[in-house]
Amino acid sequence: MATLHTQSTARLMMAPAVVLLLLWMLVPLGMTVWFSFLRYNLLMPGMEEWSGFDNYYYFLTDPAFGTALVNTLLLVGGVLLISVGGGVALALLLDQPFFGQGIVRLLVIAPFFVMPTVSALVWKNMFMNPVYGLFAWVAKFFGLQPIDWLAEVPLFSIVLIVAWQWLPFATLILLTALQSLDEEQKEAAEMDGAGPVSRFIYIVLPHLSRAITVVILIETIFLLSVFAEILVTTNGGPGLESTNLTYLVYAQALLQFDVGAASAGGIVAVILANIVAIFLMRIIGKNLDA
Amino acid sequence: MARAISPRRKWTITVVAWLLGLAIFFPILWTVLTSFKTEGEAIASPPSLVAFDWTLANYFEVQARSNYFKYVGNSIVIAVGSTLLGLLIAIPAAWAMAFSPTKRTKDVLMWMLSTKMLPPVGVLVPIYLIFRDTGLLDSRIGLIGVLTMINLPIIVWMLYTYFREIPGEILEAARMDGASLAKEIVYVLTPMALPGIASTMLLNIILAWNEAFWTLNLTASSAAPLTAFIAAYSSPEGLFWAKLSAASTLAIAPILIMGWFSQRQLIRGLTFGAVK
């Protein structure tokens, strides 16, 4: 019953959300674009001047950008590999009937609710500390030399920490998708003599493919912006070994006060995230029609 | 229909699943246990799982030394405040989208979701400068505003999916009976929408409580929530694992329990309906 009256009421009700989000998106983003074309350092106020594409040239040709880009891709790729691979395996396991299913499920999803600074510091201190950490104790127990995780393999260590946080998310989504799989279909395949492996490849995996895609896309969007875990463990170091794009832009802006270069970096990050977002939006859009 | 499986297989799966579950949960369990140790026992080698002198001293000391409850208070104010403000803005919008959809509704919704995909560093510099110039840096009001905006798309989206499940005929019947818009909302819609609103609220408090980009970048001390307070333990001098654990346990316990109750909402809210 969409009369003209209800139409305008509806518009009025949507207005605050739409206007606020529009302002939130356009004003700061517009400012970032504007700053990215200025020579603008907070240590030299009043010296701002137009500099064209200098900031982009500076940011993109800075070796730190290449390092940070590679680190970002390794971080996202590594976490995806562990969380999606492990998530599929865990979901398949938890989908089977066993005693205490509900409790195990709660145990598995718990890490997702731990705030990033807590999980990073717990791992950094109580597990990865080279002298007192549990990993060091385990290494010594087996007569091995303990390694200083965050100094020797900083990026890998951060991948482990972040993967621990996101494995539960992947597991939960994939388990939900798995539970919507038609049991009869699986049984029919079983009766036709399909073994567990071929049932997995021809029935389960195709059914999961969309959920897996969604998990990959959503995790990628969040993983491109990993920040707190790096800040409290390695500060991006040693050197630039664990600096990702988000951390690099943060360092440019709030540690070196170079607003121009940081803004150019921010725009580069936005463009990268958009590439992923386009694919995700397509899937969401299709689902909204259905 | 559950398929019959042999008891032996069931027991094998039970053992494997419990071992894996406990392994994944172990860092949390270890944090909780460490919070009851003395600083000396916390770094003891070999570590003891439960055979140590249990003490509550760390909890008292965290409060005495650093006024822990100030940060708890900030976390609560920021998480609850931004969620309530978000609901206030989102409920009318989601209501309109669900019950008076137009051709453009879907586009508006998609556009809202797309703002959630903007990486925060893309707007870090201007937000920081605006906050600095308007005195919002390190203020709870400022953080409530930012967290409201970053979670608004998820709130609108979740409410929309819940509201859409309410049959429209009921509203039409109410309108036929001459109910005004206000009455329609108070007497018809609200009771039916309450469970959805509550779920949305729960998930958003969790997300806002754990948010650790803006809270770390926009606070120093007076408005710092628990995320920022815990981050201060990253300084290399001294080993305060037992106190870190006590602070961490208190910071994650309430949210973990809320999280356990909101698994379904998590799926709905964070996959944007792409997985059901």
Side-chain angles (χ1 to χ4, degrees):
Chain A
M1 218 175 54
T3 62
L4 215 58
H5 177 67
T6 56
Q7 280 291 314
S8 56
T9 321
R11 244 178 241 151
L12 210 64
M13 292 167 80
M14 280 166 64
V18 172
V19 171
L20 281 171
L21 269 177
L22 201 63
L23 286 177
W24 165 253
M25 196 167 94
L26 288 184
V27 174
L29 202 57
M31 283 170 79
T32 305
V33 173
W34 169 243
F35 291 157
S36 74
F37 291 111
L38 295 181
R39 189 190 319 267
Y40 184 179
N41 194 302
L42 290 178
L43 296 179
M44 295 179 283
M47 302 278 283
E48 297 87 35
E49 55 179 57
W50 182 259
S51 68
F53 283 93
D54 279 6
N55 285 320
Y56 289 93
Y57 182 77
Y58 166 76
F59 188 84
L60 293 173
T61 55
D62 184 356
F65 168 71
T67 311
L69 188 64
V70 172
N71 286 343
T72 306
L73 296 178
L74 287 175
L75 178 61
V76 174
V79 175
L80 282 178
L81 203 68
I82 297 174
S83 64
V84 175
V88 171
L90 265 174
L92 285 171
L93 182 73
L94 298 183
D95 193 37
Q96 316 275 326
F98 63 92
F99 300 110
Q101 212 167 11
I103 299 170
V104 171
R105 194 179 148 122
L106 291 183
L107 294 178
V108 168
I109 64 167
F112 190 73
F113 301 110
V114 176
M115 58 175 65
T117 45
V118 166
S119 52
L121 282 179
V122 164
W123 279 92
K124 176 194 182 183
N125 289 322
M126 282 136 69
F127 288 88
M128 292 172 171
N129 184 292
V131 182
Y132 303 107
L134 270 185
F135 288 167
W137 178 75
V138 171
K140 275 183 275 185
F141 186 82
F142 289 106
L144 299 168
Q145 182 69 32
I147 63 164
D148 188 351
W149 290 81
L150 286 158
E152 287 169 39
V153 282
L155 195 61
F156 178 70
S157 304
I158 291 172
V159 166
L160 283 185
I161 297 171
V162 178
W164 178 72
Q165 294 175 284
W166 284 94
L167 175 64
F169 176 77
T171 308
L172 186 61
I173 304 294
L174 295 172
L175 184 59
T176 308
L178 211 52
Q179 282 165 347
S180 70
L181 179 60
D182 194 3
E183 274 295 324
E184 283 171 18
Q185 205 182 348
K186 269 198 287 188
E187 267 174 54
E190 209 175 340
M191 276 190 244
D192 287 344
V197 177
S198 50
R199 264 183 318 202
F200 175 72
I201 293 175
Y202 294 109
I203 296 177
V204 177
L205 213 52
H207 178 77
L208 281 185
S209 66
R210 208 175 71 136
I212 291 175
T213 315
V214 170
V215 168
I216 289 175
L217 292 171
I218 290 173
E219 281 197 17
T220 304
I221 284 174
F222 283 98
L223 293 175
L224 284 173
S225 298
V226 167
F227 172 75
E229 292 85 345
I230 297 174
L231 181 76
V232 299
T233 54
T234 64
N235 269 309
L240 291 167
E241 274 183 59
S242 58
T243 295
N244 68 353
L245 213 48
T246 298
Y247 195 84
L248 183 67
V249 173
Y250 154 81
Q252 293 272 11
L254 300 187
L255 301 181
Q256 295 169 28
F257 306 108
D258 189 342
V259 168
S263 300
I267 296 303
V268 172
V270 169
I271 292 169
L272 283 178
N274 272 358
I275 297 172
V276 184
I278 288 171
F279 288 103
L280 181 55
M281 294 306 288
R282 237 181 242 167
I283 295 186
I284 297 169
K286 261 187 212 148
N287 213 56
L288 214 53
D289 289 328
Chain B
M1 195 190 82
R3 281 172 302 152
I5 62 165
S6 68
R8 214 182 111 177
R9 187 175 143 88
K10 188 166 179 178
W11 275 108
T12 316
I13 294 171
T14 304
V15 171
V16 174
W18 272 90
L19 284 178
L20 281 172
L22 286 171
I24 290 171
F25 188 72
F26 183 73
I28 298 173
L29 179 69
W30 193 242
T31 307
V32 175
L33 289 173
T34 305
S35 75
F36 295 111
K37 296 178 177 177
T38 62
E39 292 294 355
E41 280 167 334
I43 57 171
S45 179
S48 62
L49 195 61
V50 286
F52 54 84
D53 293 325
W54 291 65
T55 170
L56 281 172
N58 299 308
Y59 288 89
F60 292 110
E61 233 174 287
V62 164
Q63 166 60 15
R65 274 199 195 178
S66 47
N67 195 13
Y68 183 76
F69 281 98
K70 181 183 102 178
Y71 303 98
V72 176
N74 283 339
S75 270
I76 294 175
V77 168
I78 292 166
V80 175
S82 67
T83 302
L84 291 182
L85 187 60
L87 283 174
L88 197 71
I89 302 166
I91 289 173
W95 186 88
M97 284 184 194
F99 296 116
S100 307
T102 62
K103 270 175 265 165
R104 285 209 309 264
T105 299
K106 190 188 143 192
D107 296 331
V108 173
L109 203 57
M110 295 288 282
W111 165 74
M112 283 185 170
L113 286 185
S114 75
T115 66
K116 182 66 198 165
M117 294 166 197
L118 193 69
V121 280
V123 293
L124 169 65
V125 174
I127 296 291
Y128 183 85
L129 293 179
I130 293 171
F131 270 48
R132 189 196 60 180
D133 296 342
T134 52
L136 285 172
L137 267 188
D138 204 16
S139 76
R140 298 196 286 202
I141 292 289
L143 264 190
I144 288 176
V146 167
L147 292 195
T148 301
M149 292 318 293
I150 63 164
N151 285 330
L152 190 59
I154 291 187
I155 302 185
V156 173
W157 165 259
M158 279 186 75
L159 289 175
Y160 169 76
T161 60
Y162 282 115
F163 288 176
R164 219 170 44 155
E165 286 165 10
I166 298 172
E169 293 81 19
I170 289 183
L171 291 180
E172 283 186 21
R175 270 177 225 170
M176 299 276 202
D177 291 343
S180 68
L181 182 66
K183 276 191 181 156
E184 187 181 309
I185 291 176
V186 173
Y187 294 110
V188 184
L189 194 77
T190 308
M192 298 191 70
L194 228 43
I197 293 175
S199 309
T200 309
M201 200 165 98
L202 203 62
L203 179 67
N204 262 275
I205 289 175
I206 294 172
L207 292 179
W209 185 276
N210 288 343
E211 202 284 331
F213 181 81
W214 294 109
T215 52
L216 288 176
N217 277 314
L218 298 178
T219 64
S221 76
S222 67
L226 287 168
T227 44
F229 171 71
I230 302 276
Y233 276 89
S234 64
S235 60
E237 67 267 12
L239 298 164
F240 299 112
W241 295 2
K243 281 184 255 320
L244 165 67
S245 299
S248 300
T249 301
L250 288 177
I252 62 178
I255 288 306
L256 184 55
I257 292 164
M258 284 170 73
W260 277 339
F261 281 107
S262 63
Q263 296 178 46
R264 295 239 151 257
Q265 289 76 283
L266 180 85
I267 296 170
R268 198 190 270 249
L270 288 185
T271 62
F272 308 119
V275 171
K276 280 176 193 149

